[in-house]
């Protein structure tokens, strides 16, 4: 399905095939986005504990809290900023902000520098990842939102996992710093270069607005404050998606900090931890291509509910098999990765389904705010519980929260007819 508007310039069309070149460029950009944050998955918690001698788990996880808070707030701001700036301008700005990150991670003289680098990383990720997903949704139109978001998230999270795996092996061979972090220079250079090449998608948004089957209802404001309230609480399905997104990334923030410490405590080396930390986002990434497409065919809700319950099972496996830590790590990573692959594109597509194009960017920004605040909440919960009760109790709490979120999603989220 595609739609076209002829103009004196190049015709503007909606559809994946019709915009395949620009769509592909944006996929590659998001590989670079994911690769930059993947630098931290294996090594940074261990840098805090081993290089800077941090003994308090909450202090170690402070870099994730800084990252999560900054990224969440940037996601929210990005939705509002699209009303004043073009998506391409925000994409380029995000990459410029990210330039210092790999250098700071590689040579930071104190832990405070690592935390500051994660503030920049949060700004970078909030702008670049928000714009790539918005621009892809703009290009393809309503009929292929699930596939578009699946391809976008697949590119990003496969890069996260691959980079985590590579940094684990580099850290084994060359130490925790600076070699593993400096591969981020390649991601920054490539991402910025491609961001300068891609075209803006404002004309595609205008076309979809012109052809939308219903105008913006009277009294339904597209302002950020109204959109935030609608997405966070007033709209039942959007509320369900927002809480599920928060808990999903709570899981990611928790495993980001806890799993390297948990599995090294049980005898795994850096390469094995890199395998565990890489496998989770690789499966999460690659799995989103079929699950995103599947959500266009069978609906969003089944994948969201089953995916959350599968993630909960992953935490149970991590503890139940801990006497054989490599098996525990691999099986939990598989369950967490596949469960997240079901949830991630379906949630973004569900928000897009229920949001009018006039306030869709704001709704996606609000959803991504709640989703990525989960990083900070997960790291905070992990730090407090780990210091008070131990790492095992932290994993149990994550399993319970995730299962509860899946049940709430089943109760609140409904399907929306998009012509599937």
């Amino acid at each position: 399905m595609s739609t076209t508007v002829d103009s004196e310039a190049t015709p503007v069309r909606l559809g994946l095939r019709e915009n395949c070149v620009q769509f592909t460029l944006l996929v590659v950009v998001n590989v670079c986005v994911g690769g930059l944050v993947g630098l931290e998955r294996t090594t940074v918690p261990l840098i805090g504990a081993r290089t800077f001698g941090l003994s308090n788990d909450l202090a170690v996880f402070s870099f994730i809290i800084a990252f999560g808070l900054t990224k969440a707030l940037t996601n929210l701001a990005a939705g509002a900023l699209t009303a004043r700036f073009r998506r391409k301008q925000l994409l380029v700005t995000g990459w410029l902000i990210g330039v210092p990150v790999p250098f700071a991670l590689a040579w930071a003289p104190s832990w405070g520098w690592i935390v500051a680098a994660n503030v920049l990383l949060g700004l970078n990720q909030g702008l670049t990842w928000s714009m790539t997903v918005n621009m892809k949704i703009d290009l393809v139109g309503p009929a292929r939102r699930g596939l578009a978001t699946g391809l976008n998230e697949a590119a990003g999270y496969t890069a996260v996992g691959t980079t985590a795996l590579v940094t684990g092996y580099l850290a084994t061979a060359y130490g925790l710093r600076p070699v593993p972090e400096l591969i981020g220079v390649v991601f920054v250079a490539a991402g910025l270069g491609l961001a300068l090449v891609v075209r803006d998608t404002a004309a595609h948004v205008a076309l979809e607005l012109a052809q939308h089957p219903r105008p913006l209802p009277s009294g339904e404001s597209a302002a950020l404050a109204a959109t935030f309230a609608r997405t966070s609480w007033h709209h039942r399905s959007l509320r369900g998606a927002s809480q599920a997104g928060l808990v999903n990334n709570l899981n990611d923030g928790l495993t980001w900090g806890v799993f390297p410490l948990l599995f090294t405590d049980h005898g795994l080396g850096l390469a094995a931890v890199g395998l565990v930390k890489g496998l989770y986002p690789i499966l999460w990434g690659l799995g989103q291509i079929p699950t995103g497409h599947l959500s266009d065919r069978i609906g969003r809700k089944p994948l969201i509910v089953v995916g959350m319950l599968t993630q909960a099972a992953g935490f149970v496996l991590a503890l139940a098999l801990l006497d054989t830590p490599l098996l525990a790590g691999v099986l939990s990573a598989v369950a967490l990765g596949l469960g997240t692959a079901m949830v991630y594109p379906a949630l973004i597509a569900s928000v897009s389904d229920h949001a009018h194009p006039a306030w869709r960017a704001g709704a996606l920004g609000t959803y991504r705010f709640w989703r990525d605040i989960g990083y900070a909440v997960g790291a905070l919960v992990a730090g407090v519980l780990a210091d008070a009760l131990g790492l095992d109790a932290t994993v149990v709490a994550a399993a319970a929260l995730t299962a509860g979120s899946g049940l709430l999603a089943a109760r609140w989220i409904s399907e929306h007819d998009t012509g599937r």
Side-chain angles (χ1 to χ4, degrees), residues 61 64 249-251 253-254 258 373-383 394:
F61 302 158
I64 306 173
N249 276 22
L250 178 149
N251 293 344
L254 186 144
V258 168
I373 207 77
Y375 283 121
V377 174
L380 183 61
V381 167
T394 307

Side-chain angles (χ1 to χ4, degrees), residues 130-209:
S130 291
M131 291 309 108
T132 58
V133 71
N134 272 293
M135 292 170 83
K136 287 186 180 73
I137 289 171
D138 296 343
L139 290 172
V140 303
R144 291 291 178 265
R145 284 184 188 133
L147 179 59
T149 55
L151 289 168
N152 184 77
E153 304 302 288
Y157 284 100
T158 301
V160 171
T162 302
T163 307
L165 184 61
V166 170
T167 55
Y169 282 100
L170 289 174
T172 300
Y174 300 103
L176 290 171
R177 298 196 302 170
V179 173
E181 292 75 24
L182 288 180
I183 61 175
V185 177
V186 177
F187 295 128
V188 170
L192 179 58
L194 289 171
L196 293 169
V197 172
V198 297
R199 297 176 182 171
D200 192 70
T201 57
H204 296 81
V205 178
L207 174 58
E208 186 181 350
L209 272 170

Side-chain angles (χ1 to χ4, degrees), residues 75-246:
N75 287 336
L76 185 60
L81 288 171
T82 56
R84 300 186 61 185
F85 301 97
R86 291 183 178 271
R87 284 149 165 68
K88 178 175 177 175
Q89 292 174 314
L90 296 171
L91 180 63
V92 171
T93 300
W95 277 116
L96 290 172
I97 291 170
V99 169
V101 171
F103 302 101
L105 295 177
W107 287 298
S110 69
W111 185 247
W113 282 70
I114 299 288
V115 174
N118 274 271
V119 171
L120 294 179
L121 183 62
L123 290 167
N124 160 266
Q125 295 286 302
L127 288 174
T128 56
W129 209 308
S130 291
M131 291 309 108
T132 58
V133 71
N134 272 293
M135 292 170 83
K136 287 186 180 73
I137 289 171
D138 296 343
L139 290 172
V140 303
R144 291 291 178 265
R145 284 184 188 133
L147 179 59
T149 55
L151 289 168
N152 184 77
E153 304 302 288
Y157 284 100
T158 301
V160 171
T162 302
T163 307
L165 184 61
V166 170
T167 55
Y169 282 100
L170 289 174
T172 300
Y174 300 103
L176 290 171
R177 298 196 302 170
V179 173
E181 292 75 24
L182 288 180
I183 61 175
V185 177
V186 177
F187 295 128
V188 170
L192 179 58
L194 289 171
L196 293 169
V197 172
V198 297
R199 297 176 182 171
D200 192 70
T201 57
H204 296 81
V205 178
L207 174 58
E208 186 181 350
L209 272 170
Q211 298 182 339
H212 198 268
R214 62 181 180 90
L216 183 67
S218 59
E220 188 172 280
S221 172
L224 178 60
T227 300
F228 184 88
R230 189 183 304 124
T231 307
S232 302
W233 185 252
H234 295 315
H235 191 292
R236 186 182 178 95
S237 286
L238 295 178
R239 178 175 76 230
S242 295
Q243 67 81 26
L246 187 153

